[in-house]
Amino acid sequence: MSDFYRVRRLPPYVFEQVNRLKAKARAGGADIIDLGMGNPDLPTPRHIVEKLVETAGKPRTDRYSASKGIAGLRRAQSAYYERRFGVRLDPDTQVVATLGSKEGFANMAQAITAPGDVVLVPNPSYPIHAFGFLMAGGVIRSVPIEPNEAFFRAAERAVMHSIPKPIAVVVCYPSNPTAMVATLDFYRELVTFAKRHDIYILSDLAYAEVYFDDNPPPSVLQVPGANDICVEFTSMSKTFSMAGWRIGFAVGNERLLSALARVKSYLDYGAFTPIQVAAAAALNGSDDCIKDMRATYRKRRDVMVESFAQAGWKIPAPTASMFAWVPVPEKFRPLGSLEFSKLLIERADVAVAPGIGFGEHGDEYVRLALVENEQRIRQAARGVRRFFEGADESLHNVIGSSAPV
């Protein structure tokens, strides 16, 4: 397999090592509390499921669907953007439905990347942001994840020293994995930067509705003129707990979306039509279920911060996303995030995502997802406390026995 060009460009999947250890522990009878994968455990709201059931089996709905999304779904997404962000989009030319935002990113990379093209990607970042372009033959230049002046200083240096000049910059706020949130002022500066250097902006806004204060995360498309150079990706997965349904969107610049739609037309026929109809009903319906989702994740966040602090591990409270980005405790930092994550499974019955899986600059962190109920989160904290107390007694032996082979 290592002879295949695209496979050669992909490193071993870090998370698979944690998944194997987790599966082994469960096979041995351990009750592993999984805070690793950002896989929502909340049920899809009932009215969305009912719309799916109502539509399935009707004449023509079992046939091939529309690759770029049925017209009603694209109109619903356009209406959502106007309602939520005050941004007007032409549903025929500025909205493409995707099989989740991950597929949208990967196919956009295929559509716009020539071998050797340079793309600016934050480090750490969600893996598809970099590896979508690597699989397409592109080259990644890392920039900081923090939405501040350090980002722009690094991006300016990257543009200056990259040959060829970068074709695009990727941003993701609220961030997966760090939970950082960007301001509209940051996006204004980003649009100015991108236009000055004639590069595209690809924005991942999958966590737009998962926030815990009264300050909803903005869209870069709120900046006047952003449509000239930007495509933004959103997802139904977290907002409506529809991760397995595989519905997302790409919206914005017509030229980029035309290229994406053309690539998709060769690769898929779109999601099952009843799923698209149900997704349109979700977007057009009441937002009460979104408020309930936010309230649930906020309670879980508060319980995690409180209970893990009592266990001796301070959790920075995220203001958005369904993740906490947590420093590896100092005494375990020499292990690196992967070995520390393995230790948590073996000795605390808790699974987390090692930060190294999101880029080398994430190796001093792990990502915890708010995907277990409050009781299970408290149980995880108790397991962590027992592990820490035992490690305090013989830390040298713990680290020594877990050193990478």
Side-chain angles (χ1 to χ4, degrees), residues 54-108:
E54 173 192 320
T55 309
K58 284 188 174 181
R60 304 178 66 89
T61 61
D62 291 330
R63 299 183 178 185
Y64 292 129
S65 193
S67 176
K68 66 181 291 186
I70 61 175
L73 179 57
R74 287 183 279 112
R75 286 195 297 268
Q77 175 69 350
S78 177
Y80 163 75
Y81 255 78
E82 184 163 10
R83 193 170 61 243
R84 170 71 163 79
F85 301 111
V87 172
R88 292 189 175 185
L89 299 167
D90 184 335
D92 293 325
T93 61
Q94 292 183 294
V95 179
V96 172
T98 62
L99 303 179
S101 57
K102 188 175 184 179
E103 175 268 327
F105 244 97
N107 280 334
M108 180 62 80

Side-chain angles (χ1 to χ4, degrees), residues 170-193:
V170 174
V171 291
C172 174
Y173 303 107
S175 166
N176 180 7
T178 69
M180 294 174 180
V181 179
T183 64
L184 199 51
D185 284 341
F186 171 83
Y187 284 140
R188 290 190 185 99
E189 192 170 352
L190 180 66
V191 170
T192 299
F193 163 82

Side-chain angles (χ1 to χ4, degrees), residues 84-144:
R84 170 71 163 79
F85 301 111
V87 172
R88 292 189 175 185
L89 299 167
D90 184 335
D92 293 325
T93 61
Q94 292 183 294
V95 179
V96 172
T98 62
L99 303 179
S101 57
K102 188 175 184 179
E103 175 268 327
F105 244 97
N107 280 334
M108 180 62 80
Q110 294 291 329
I112 69 174
T113 310
D117 277 349
V118 177
V119 178
L120 306 182
V121 178
N123 188 334
S125 189
Y126 187 56
I128 197 63
H129 295 158
F131 293 113
F133 290 98
L134 287 173
M135 284 189 284
V139 176
I140 300 303
R141 287 289 299 254
S142 293
V143 293

Side-chain angles (χ1 to χ4, degrees), residues 139-152:
V139 176
I140 300 303
R141 287 289 299 254
S142 293
V143 293
I145 184 62
E146 296 86 352
N148 56 26
E149 283 306 310
F151 174 97
F152 291 108

Side-chain angles (χ1 to χ4, degrees), residues 192-238:
T192 299
F193 163 82
K195 287 193 170 187
R196 181 167 65 247
H197 294 294
D198 192 26
I199 63 178
Y200 294 116
I201 298 170
L202 302 178
S203 169
D204 185 343
L205 193 59
Y207 297 90
E209 299 301 341
V210 189
Y211 57 92
F212 308 126
D213 52 24
D214 296 323
N215 189 22
S219 161
V220 65
L221 294 177
Q222 291 175 244
V223 178
N227 255 324
D228 300 337
I229 53 166
C230 180
V231 165
E232 191 157 68
F233 298 84
T234 56
S235 171
M236 305 289 284
S237 296
K238 310 307 187 297

